[in-house]
Amino acid sequence: MRILLVEDNEMNRDMLSRRLQRRGYEVIIAVDGQQGVGMAKSEAPDLILMDMSLPVIDGWEATRTLKAAPETMHIPVIALTAHAMSTDREKALEAGCDDYDTKPIELSRLLGKMEALLGGNKAQDTGTEEGS
Amino acid sequence: MTELPKEIEDAVQHMLPPTLLHDLRTPLSHILGYSELLIEQMQEAGHQEFIPYLERIRTAGHQLLEMMTDNFSAGPAEGAPKI
């Protein structure tokens, strides 16, 4: 399964991509909303993890763009935000996100949401150990 | 977790810049995420001697998150961590 992680914070990118790769997911990365929209169209990921506070265009606008485009509207989007307010969840869902989770990431919870949206198709455990 | 009196909580919330809680959660995410990643890697590599120290870091991070969630937010959103 190919996951597009759209995240501007370098440590969040490194941490989450490593943890997902350890569980067999292929992770591709965009560092702002505009790049995220472009990679969603060019790379056709199975699921998108979208930070909301992003440069260039934010996660809400990027999600609205993806959900309005025929070639990307079917791709599930999970919003990730450090704003743990109930209004942020509503705002993300209104933008078209399929689910929502908060930072700090609790990986088991996030994996459950990802697997639910991926139709129960778990990543294959390749046993691959990421580099240092 | 001991909750702050309502009047103190309200006063503190008014003193905090709106972005501070968001900004505090970012480095806290790094502390929790990397400690959990290292615990996984140490377990796989058989370095059991490091795990108790990493678990202390993770526990301290969760305690800090719990304090922030309980005292300085308008209530956890759905999907927010329940520590």
Side-chain angles (χ1 to χ4, degrees):
Chain A
M1 287 286 167
R2 176 183 285 191
I3 309 299
L4 171 59
L5 173 61
V6 190
E7 168 66 77
D8 65 324
N9 183 286
E10 189 275 332
M11 277 201 271
N12 282 342
R13 286 198 302 269
D14 176 61
M15 183 173 61
L16 189 52
S17 62
R18 283 172 180 247
R19 301 188 78 189
L20 292 174
Q21 285 163 1
R22 290 172 62 80
R23 284 157 179 81
Y25 290 100
E26 178 187 355
V27 182
I28 54 178
I29 288 171
V31 301
D32 61 54
Q34 188 172 58
Q35 188 180 26
V37 170
M39 288 185 69
K41 292 178 178 176
S42 64
E43 302 292 330
D46 297 294
L47 183 142
I48 299 171
L49 297 174
M50 181 77 77
D51 182 28
M52 292 285 106
S53 302
L54 291 167
V56 188
I57 61 172
D58 64 30
W60 293 283
E61 184 62 31
T63 301
R64 278 191 286 270
T65 302
L66 292 171
K67 291 299 183 180
E71 68 268 40
T72 54
M73 64 192 313
H74 66 283
I75 304 173
V77 177
I78 298 179
L80 302 177
T81 175
H83 296 88
M85 311 291 279
S86 57
T87 52
D88 291 307
R89 178 182 179 278
E90 293 162 10
K91 195 176 168 186
L93 297 179
E94 282 172 6
C97 294
D98 298 273
D99 208 338
Y100 167 93
D101 211 342
T102 55
K103 302 177 192 174
I105 296 294
E106 189 179 303
L107 193 63
S108 59
R109 185 183 64 216
L110 177 62
L111 290 171
K113 293 180 178 184
M114 291 171 59
E115 288 165 8
L117 288 169
L118 289 167
N121 295 324
K122 296 182 180 180
Q124 296 298 309
D125 183 359
T126 61
T128 302
E129 182 71 24
E130 77 274 9
S132 57
Chain B
M1 176 58 57
T2 303
E3 291 191 11
L4 295 174
K6 182 72 167 60
E7 60 271 23
I8 295 178
E9 185 181 335
D10 289 347
V12 170
Q13 282 190 332
H14 281 99
M15 291 165 56
L16 294 174
T19 58
L20 181 59
L21 286 173
H22 170 272
D23 292 345
L24 287 172
R25 292 174 79 93
T26 300
L28 188 53
S29 292
H30 302 157
I31 292 168
L32 288 169
Y34 276 113
S35 62
E36 289 169 4
L37 176 62
L38 283 169
I39 287 169
E40 291 173 12
Q41 291 185 312
M42 290 298 119
Q43 284 173 336
E44 286 181 7
H47 295 304
Q48 300 296 323
E49 68 273 26
F50 297 122
I51 293 174
Y53 301 107
L54 293 166
E55 287 179 338
R56 287 183 176 186
I57 296 171
R58 180 177 61 178
T59 299
H62 277 301
Q63 288 171 338
L64 183 55
L65 176 63
E66 187 178 14
M67 283 189 274
M68 289 166 54
T69 302
D70 285 352
N71 293 311
F72 303 121
S73 71
E78 184 178 322
K82 295 288 186 188
I83 310 301

